[in-house]
Amino acid sequence: LRSALEANPLGAVLQDVLGENNDGLQCYMDDYVDMAHRTASRDVHSLVRSALIAALLEVQRAEGGEPVLDVAVIHVAHSLAHARLHCLVDLLNRMPRELVRECAKTFGGGTPTEKDVEILVLHRVLQSLIPKSSSFSTLSACKTWIARLVKVGSAVDALFAALEVVSGAPPSQELQEKSRWLWARLSAVRLFLEHVTMPCASEMFLFYASYKLFTVLPEACDFRRAHSMSTLIAFLNGCITGEFVFEDDGPRCQGCGQPPVNATRLPCEHIMCITCMDSQSAKCLNCEEAIPVTCVPSKEDSGRLHVEDVVKFKEESKKFFMDLVSSLCFSVTSGTTVHPPEPALIELLLDMVSRQRAIRYLSPFEDDDGGQEVVVRSFLLQLLLRSSEESVTRHVQRHLEIAQEYSASEEYNSDLALLFVHCYEDAQHNRCSGIKDQGDEGRAAGYVLKNLQQAQSIMQDLKWQERRTLDVETLRAVAVVRFSLSHTAEWISELITERLGAPTGRASQHADNLENSARQRQQIAHRLAQAANNLCEAMTSPTVQIFLIKEIVHRIGLDRFRLAIADPTLELEWIVPDLLRHDEGEDAIPDRFIVLGESYRTTREAVTNAVLSSSTRPLEEVVTNTDRSLKHVAPVGLLLSLYREVTMCQAESSQFQPTGAEYLAKLRDFVGRRGLLRPDASRLALQLLGNEQGAALAHVKVSPGQSGMVRSLAALVVHFACVLSQCAPPTSGHPLEVFAALAFKPDTMRKALLPTMPEDDLPAIRNALPESNTHWYECPNGHRYYVANCGSPMQEYQCNVCRVRIGGTSGTLDTANRVASAADQSESGHILGAAHLRSASAVPERDLNPASCALMRILLHMSLVWAASSSDQGKLAALASIIHPALPVGANIGQFFWAHLERDIQVFAKAIGKGIDHVLLSLHHLFAAMTECKANAGSGVDLGLSNRTTRRRWEKAFEHEFFTKFFETMEEGVTEAQRALMNDERLGNDKLMRAVFEVDARAAVPSADEAGHLDPSLWRYRVRASIGGLMHMLAPQKENFPVLFTFLHHEHTLRAIQYLPEIVQLQRRLVDRYSRRIDRKTAEEYTIKRFLSEQTDMDKELLGTMITAYEDAWMLVREQLYQHGRLKPSEECRYGVIKRRSPLTFLLPTTEGFGRNPTALVDFLVSAHNEFLEAYGGVKKMKVNDFQRVSLFDSTHAQLISYDGSRHLLPLVLSHCHYTVEPGQGMLVQYDLAALEKHLEQRFIIGRPMVDMAEIRLVFSEDVHNTSQMVALRRRIPQAELPKASQHDILSELRDLPQVCSVISDLEITIGHLIATGGRPDMMLAEYMDNVLKMKSDAKLISQKLSHCCRLENILSVWCLLMVERSKRLAMLREDAFDDVAETFKEELQPGDREDLESWLAALSQHRDTFVAALLEFIVGELNQRNAKRNHAWPDWQLMEAMDSCGIGGKYPKEMPDALQCRHAVAVWMIAARC
């Protein structure tokens, strides 16, 4: 750095000013600290300066020799300590001013110290938080202390994280360790206050206990050690047993001054014991306020908890203990090193897990009794398995053996076995997910295959069918089998869906998104299936096969599974064991309409009897006896019964057939004359009777040979159409009327803003900005921007999207720009495009969470599918008009919407974490609930959806009316529906369905004998805890947990923020290395793999990590970038994946081509971070100014909402997850939402600052040609023309074209650096290249004359000279000198125009060469292909006028002829240059 500074003009200036002047260097250091950290006060400045001096001493000691203080040492020391200093400033800004002033007096002033200033300040801050006995005297005092702790909490954590990478002197390390111990004690007290003291605020004793906790915890408090944890457990038990001894500084009675035994806290906040209250008047002895009778304490109270409060205390203490274990024993916060707990603590915690009783909560209480509830907590075992799997398995085995010796009941062993199996299985899933997250699915499949093969060997060696006792090896083998078969089922399910033609979750990413081709994926699936087959054959019971069936069916549905095993090309018939084989003649089509209840069942049987008897009398009787309260349910049930028993039987040869046209005529007459059905419903009934409902879409029409999945979706569409036809008549105000209009009268919805469609975000942005000082404009291509302050443009910029000129000067808008329209530009109609281009994951829209949005899209596309199945050409024309972009001529509209419906079903299933069959049943359950909705439920909302406001209101009202209760009751409703299906005589003997859905204990799993003497519950299907499942469960309660809901609502984008620091570092390194040094063509040919191969081993690993972070972030949010990003990425990359063989341009941040992707990605991630904090601030009633701010370049993981889904968020969710075992229902997942919300807020949100966006932009070497770059150079260094004689000598020394091009290339690199850093105009060009750029000018400049006479003020003149010469020589060689110029600017001149030009050129005289150079600069800078978007209107511009607009026109003796336009630019130059 010293050498570089000495060679730089700035270095020379600094040397002249500072030299060895120590005072000057001190002033320089002061200014540098202010500039780098924006210190808010003199005290903060003094402390940061002292910290920098300490870093200086470290650098000087490392350098050796005599200590030297100069500019280079200051910069190097700051770069090494930058992260610590930034965290120190953040901490100081959160501290009270008095404390900052005290620290400045003690540690500031720049005095060298043996200890790091950061650690000294940190320790002093923590000491200021040490509580006193009075700190928790009242509830408000507790809240005040917690607020102080929380305010500095994130800054303290960030500073600890920054200090982890520093190896300071031993004294500093010792003080740092003491600070960590103190922070652990303070954190434990805060958790106790929040969980125990404040919820039990009526118990005065606990206020003192909170202070007592701090005193009893050891000074060397580390909750990763058994000693600290044992002390805490003893404290909690002591709170119940009354073993505390009140100390001298504890609370005292206001009367006798003794410790408050048998005392209470009065409403006036003073304390009195019962003795003083008995002997004195009923007034407080301190303030004389009357004492209520209810305040008199119990005689039995003796310095301990009241008996009635013990239960509540235990309950709250368990939550406190769990929180402390997860946050302080197994801390997984991003950005910090995780240290595993010591073995003694692992054994202590495992002793709690393995007590001889059922476990509801992990409990620290010795006398706790969980009762007979079979409810287990798995999170602790998960954390233990992460840290020490070998120790855990050893301890579990020992506890199993001990338990079996004296346990009279097998219930405990079963619970512990189930807990271990599920936790070990989850651990395997997490490992496999880690491999998948690296983008290598082939390796992940190999991991599964290896586990399958090992599991088979282990099972055979263990002879598990003969085992009658539990041991860890058997349980681990069961967990591995479950894990392996679960992933095998995933691959087999994908194989089935691809083979059967249904869209898969990979459709939107295209086949090239995976390292393996489609054929390779099929080969992997077959290998896994073969390994699973071998495992099943090696077992003597069908247990493993049944488990695999469950996993597959819950992914693709029972209908598709039956079709798959019947397909010989898939070779999957081995999966179904003989005992579950489908008997000949059994009805395999489930009647999911059964969710309508007993009334539907009665109607269905009446229709069956009517068909068999060829008489409508059974129907007449049912309709007559129908309860009037079922005014909508009965008609819908009748329609569905007709569809089920009449329409569907026409395609099933195994069922009875109608008696013919005569009886169908009777049925038509019956449904038409009874008056039971509304007009639309009556028409629908007639269509169903004739199987005419799918005239234009074969999927809806029932026909032989249809797959079970198509039949199930068609039944779903028919069910919804029946509900719409009967329950939502026109103008009824019913909320379903929107979908009814789309289904039956789509022409009325041509201009409607359809539900769930994306919308224009500008109105929301306008509302968020102050209207009084913000004016909006549009560039010539329609991209919007705003001008703040006065709202008048005072400067010119470039559009972030298309790079055209925007803004203006002197308050005048550029003529090509215009004022942006304030009108909402949200598009009407269907604007999602083709189904295969949509994301496979649910995304939120407006106020709709991902699950609600996916569900509403299902209803939307069902309505459109029904409309598109009609043969009415008017309806089809109306549907075609609402699809944007329009479909090709002749495309099947019904197929278009059907594909969207299939995608919707999969997206919704993924969003709620359920299988296809579960989704189908739940949708029928929803339609049954809709049938009972009142007609005026949607009153007050414009059902025409004519604008964004009405659409938002309608969506919110619809969600509240139907979805809230639906999500609350979905699990219960589906369970009841499954029972109804099993009890349905039409399907009750389907052994496969009974086994798959585990509806009753008899069919859930094989018996113990069949399962190899293992507990059958070990093989139940289990829904693993997931973020999607949590969001689904939270949806009905979002008002009660707004922070948690807001976080999960944004989680699909927040998870990518963890990669932002690495992406910023990568871009800054690439810009530093390549900006203005590489051209586009070279960058496009230069692969990422080649770039990495040229790095050192250390840089290769570091850059590889950064590139991987970019790839992962891109894959996570690329679809959202195109839909919601402020900057739109390159369309060519929308469905591509970044690989090592991809061009380097994928990573270079620019404003066009592939380079728009990294630029847009960083902008999107910063916006996602800030937008979430704004949303969080809205929930917490905070203003934007209440948040701290940090520059993008200074942001770290500790300052961002940075977390890894599998390593950080999911363990946090699991730690608040309960697995509930219920007979016949398997494992049900429940969440402690209140605790989860609080812990998520503390771990990821509180204290995070807003990020100020900073531009990272790479400029290609040829972009120096751009006029804006030349203007920037002239501003940096005033330019002067090189004398003509010198120009002639230079050209004479450059004898061939390659030499000219080489010098031009080096000049452009130099110009790029001069634009960025500037320089002395009179400095010689050769000197600058030699000393500053370290370029050998003798070899680079070639021409001796150029080396000796050219100064920096002449560089633009030389560049123009050589560019003209290059173009002339290319023209002489009959080559295109302007191959990068658009063809529209190469038009030849007409003879008359040529004569006018030559006459004008003759008048220029000595100005001709100036014009030639200026025109060349205009052509190469403005008329190139890269600027095609912004110069599309220029061909018709007058040439000189266009040059003037770019600032390079000049003044000439005579005006250029008006006929010479930009379209003639190249021809004019060729004539002017005499080429």
Side-chain angles (χ1 to χ4, degrees), residues 1139-1152:
K1139 303 176 182 178
R1140 290 297 189 262
R1141 61 176 179 268
S1142 300
L1144 189 62
T1145 48
F1146 274 52
L1147 305 178
L1148 302 177
T1150 62
T1151 58
E1152 56 188 28

PDB file of all heavy atoms in Angstrom, residues 1139-1152:
ATOM      1  N   LYS A1139     -24.164 -22.118 -13.590  1.00  0.00           N
ATOM      2  CA  LYS A1139     -23.258 -23.242 -13.412  1.00  0.00           C
ATOM      3  C   LYS A1139     -21.829 -22.751 -13.572  1.00  0.00           C
ATOM      4  O   LYS A1139     -21.583 -21.617 -13.981  1.00  0.00           O
ATOM      5  CB  LYS A1139     -23.555 -24.339 -14.435  1.00  0.00           C
ATOM      6  CG  LYS A1139     -24.991 -24.847 -14.399  1.00  0.00           C
ATOM      7  CD  LYS A1139     -25.226 -25.861 -15.507  1.00  0.00           C
ATOM      8  CE  LYS A1139     -26.672 -26.330 -15.512  1.00  0.00           C
ATOM      9  NZ  LYS A1139     -26.961 -27.270 -16.602  1.00  0.00           N
ATOM     10  N   ARG A1140     -20.900 -23.625 -13.251  1.00  0.00           N
ATOM     11  CA  ARG A1140     -19.488 -23.234 -13.368  1.00  0.00           C
ATOM     12  C   ARG A1140     -19.082 -22.994 -14.815  1.00  0.00           C
ATOM     13  O   ARG A1140     -18.123 -22.269 -15.080  1.00  0.00           O
ATOM     14  CB  ARG A1140     -18.604 -24.325 -12.747  1.00  0.00           C
ATOM     15  CG  ARG A1140     -18.703 -24.404 -11.228  1.00  0.00           C
ATOM     16  CD  ARG A1140     -18.211 -23.111 -10.590  1.00  0.00           C
ATOM     17  NE  ARG A1140     -18.091 -23.203  -9.143  1.00  0.00           N
ATOM     18  CZ  ARG A1140     -18.995 -22.775  -8.299  1.00  0.00           C
ATOM     19  NH1 ARG A1140     -20.104 -22.224  -8.746  1.00  0.00           N
ATOM     20  NH2 ARG A1140     -18.813 -22.880  -6.996  1.00  0.00           N
ATOM     21  N   ARG A1141     -19.806 -23.561 -15.744  1.00  0.00           N
ATOM     22  CA  ARG A1141     -19.472 -23.322 -17.152  1.00  0.00           C
ATOM     23  C   ARG A1141     -20.213 -22.118 -17.733  1.00  0.00           C
ATOM     24  O   ARG A1141     -20.078 -21.825 -18.916  1.00  0.00           O
ATOM     25  CB  ARG A1141     -19.776 -24.566 -17.980  1.00  0.00           C
ATOM     26  CG  ARG A1141     -21.221 -25.015 -17.980  1.00  0.00           C
ATOM     27  CD  ARG A1141     -21.419 -26.202 -18.919  1.00  0.00           C
ATOM     28  NE  ARG A1141     -22.786 -26.682 -18.936  1.00  0.00           N
ATOM     29  CZ  ARG A1141     -23.239 -27.646 -18.151  1.00  0.00           C
ATOM     30  NH1 ARG A1141     -22.436 -28.218 -17.281  1.00  0.00           N
ATOM     31  NH2 ARG A1141     -24.500 -28.045 -18.222  1.00  0.00           N
ATOM     32  N   SER A1142     -20.984 -21.446 -16.909  1.00  0.00           N
ATOM     33  CA  SER A1142     -21.681 -20.239 -17.358  1.00  0.00           C
ATOM     34  C   SER A1142     -20.675 -19.111 -17.571  1.00  0.00           C
ATOM     35  O   SER A1142     -19.620 -19.083 -16.933  1.00  0.00           O
ATOM     36  CB  SER A1142     -22.724 -19.806 -16.325  1.00  0.00           C
ATOM     37  OG  SER A1142     -23.680 -20.819 -16.116  1.00  0.00           O
ATOM     38  N   PRO A1143     -20.994 -18.150 -18.440  1.00  0.00           N
ATOM     39  CA  PRO A1143     -20.058 -17.034 -18.665  1.00  0.00           C
ATOM     40  C   PRO A1143     -19.940 -16.146 -17.438  1.00  0.00           C
ATOM     41  O   PRO A1143     -20.850 -16.061 -16.610  1.00  0.00           O
ATOM     42  CB  PRO A1143     -20.690 -16.284 -19.841  1.00  0.00           C
ATOM     43  CG  PRO A1143     -22.126 -16.668 -19.836  1.00  0.00           C
ATOM     44  CD  PRO A1143     -22.172 -18.073 -19.310  1.00  0.00           C
ATOM     45  N   LEU A1144     -18.815 -15.466 -17.327  1.00  0.00           N
ATOM     46  CA  LEU A1144     -18.557 -14.598 -16.182  1.00  0.00           C
ATOM     47  C   LEU A1144     -19.549 -13.445 -16.129  1.00  0.00           C
ATOM     48  O   LEU A1144     -19.772 -12.865 -15.061  1.00  0.00           O
ATOM     49  CB  LEU A1144     -17.121 -14.058 -16.254  1.00  0.00           C
ATOM     50  CG  LEU A1144     -16.598 -13.307 -15.035  1.00  0.00           C
ATOM     51  CD1 LEU A1144     -16.563 -14.213 -13.826  1.00  0.00           C
ATOM     52  CD2 LEU A1144     -15.210 -12.736 -15.315  1.00  0.00           C
ATOM     53  N   THR A1145     -20.154 -13.094 -17.264  1.00  0.00           N
ATOM     54  CA  THR A1145     -21.117 -11.989 -17.283  1.00  0.00           C
ATOM     55  C   THR A1145     -22.317 -12.259 -16.383  1.00  0.00           C
ATOM     56  O   THR A1145     -23.024 -11.323 -16.012  1.00  0.00           O
ATOM     57  CB  THR A1145     -21.613 -11.751 -18.725  1.00  0.00           C
ATOM     58  OG1 THR A1145     -21.986 -13.005 -19.321  1.00  0.00           O
ATOM     59  CG2 THR A1145     -20.544 -11.113 -19.570  1.00  0.00           C
ATOM     60  N   PHE A1146     -22.540 -13.525 -16.013  1.00  0.00           N
ATOM     61  CA  PHE A1146     -23.625 -13.831 -15.075  1.00  0.00           C
ATOM     62  C   PHE A1146     -23.382 -13.193 -13.711  1.00  0.00           C
ATOM     63  O   PHE A1146     -24.319 -12.988 -12.938  1.00  0.00           O
ATOM     64  CB  PHE A1146     -23.763 -15.345 -14.905  1.00  0.00           C
ATOM     65  CG  PHE A1146     -24.641 -16.002 -15.929  1.00  0.00           C
ATOM     66  CD1 PHE A1146     -24.423 -15.790 -17.282  1.00  0.00           C
ATOM     67  CD2 PHE A1146     -25.682 -16.825 -15.559  1.00  0.00           C
ATOM     68  CE1 PHE A1146     -25.222 -16.390 -18.232  1.00  0.00           C
ATOM     69  CE2 PHE A1146     -26.500 -17.433 -16.508  1.00  0.00           C
ATOM     70  CZ  PHE A1146     -26.262 -17.210 -17.849  1.00  0.00           C
ATOM     71  N   LEU A1147     -22.122 -12.899 -13.400  1.00  0.00           N
ATOM     72  CA  LEU A1147     -21.769 -12.397 -12.072  1.00  0.00           C
ATOM     73  C   LEU A1147     -21.413 -10.919 -12.064  1.00  0.00           C
ATOM     74  O   LEU A1147     -21.372 -10.307 -10.992  1.00  0.00           O
ATOM     75  CB  LEU A1147     -20.568 -13.178 -11.512  1.00  0.00           C
ATOM     76  CG  LEU A1147     -20.694 -14.702 -11.441  1.00  0.00           C
ATOM     77  CD1 LEU A1147     -19.403 -15.310 -10.910  1.00  0.00           C
ATOM     78  CD2 LEU A1147     -21.866 -15.108 -10.567  1.00  0.00           C
ATOM     79  N   LEU A1148     -21.135 -10.335 -13.230  1.00  0.00           N
ATOM     80  CA  LEU A1148     -20.661  -8.950 -13.293  1.00  0.00           C
ATOM     81  C   LEU A1148     -21.842  -7.989 -13.212  1.00  0.00           C
ATOM     82  O   LEU A1148     -22.724  -8.017 -14.076  1.00  0.00           O
ATOM     83  CB  LEU A1148     -19.876  -8.716 -14.584  1.00  0.00           C
ATOM     84  CG  LEU A1148     -18.655  -9.620 -14.787  1.00  0.00           C
ATOM     85  CD1 LEU A1148     -17.996  -9.335 -16.132  1.00  0.00           C
ATOM     86  CD2 LEU A1148     -17.644  -9.435 -13.659  1.00  0.00           C
ATOM     87  N   PRO A1149     -21.905  -7.132 -12.203  1.00  0.00           N
ATOM     88  CA  PRO A1149     -23.056  -6.214 -12.044  1.00  0.00           C
ATOM     89  C   PRO A1149     -23.012  -5.065 -13.032  1.00  0.00           C
ATOM     90  O   PRO A1149     -22.194  -4.156 -12.909  1.00  0.00           O
ATOM     91  CB  PRO A1149     -22.901  -5.720 -10.599  1.00  0.00           C
ATOM     92  CG  PRO A1149     -21.433  -5.793 -10.331  1.00  0.00           C
ATOM     93  CD  PRO A1149     -20.915  -6.974 -11.115  1.00  0.00           C
ATOM     94  N   THR A1150     -23.887  -5.112 -14.014  1.00  0.00           N
ATOM     95  CA  THR A1150     -24.007  -4.034 -14.993  1.00  0.00           C
ATOM     96  C   THR A1150     -25.486  -3.681 -15.126  1.00  0.00           C
ATOM     97  O   THR A1150     -26.306  -4.083 -14.308  1.00  0.00           O
ATOM     98  CB  THR A1150     -23.421  -4.463 -16.352  1.00  0.00           C
ATOM     99  OG1 THR A1150     -24.173  -5.584 -16.864  1.00  0.00           O
ATOM    100  CG2 THR A1150     -21.959  -4.873 -16.210  1.00  0.00           C
ATOM    101  N   THR A1151     -25.813  -2.966 -16.180  1.00  0.00           N
ATOM    102  CA  THR A1151     -27.200  -2.532 -16.348  1.00  0.00           C
ATOM    103  C   THR A1151     -27.857  -3.134 -17.578  1.00  0.00           C
ATOM    104  O   THR A1151     -28.958  -2.732 -17.934  1.00  0.00           O
ATOM    105  CB  THR A1151     -27.250  -0.997 -16.462  1.00  0.00           C
ATOM    106  OG1 THR A1151     -26.428  -0.585 -17.564  1.00  0.00           O
ATOM    107  CG2 THR A1151     -26.742  -0.352 -15.189  1.00  0.00           C
ATOM    108  N   GLU A1152     -27.185  -4.058 -18.223  1.00  0.00           N
ATOM    109  CA  GLU A1152     -27.765  -4.658 -19.419  1.00  0.00           C
ATOM    110  C   GLU A1152     -27.300  -6.093 -19.553  1.00  0.00           C
ATOM    111  O   GLU A1152     -26.321  -6.506 -18.929  1.00  0.00           O
ATOM    112  CB  GLU A1152     -27.366  -3.856 -20.673  1.00  0.00           C
ATOM    113  CG  GLU A1152     -25.872  -3.722 -20.827  1.00  0.00           C
ATOM    114  CD  GLU A1152     -25.487  -2.772 -21.943  1.00  0.00           C
ATOM    115  OE1 GLU A1152     -26.253  -1.848 -22.249  1.00  0.00           O
ATOM    116  OE2 GLU A1152     -24.407  -2.976 -22.508  1.00  0.00           O
TER     117      GLU A1152
END
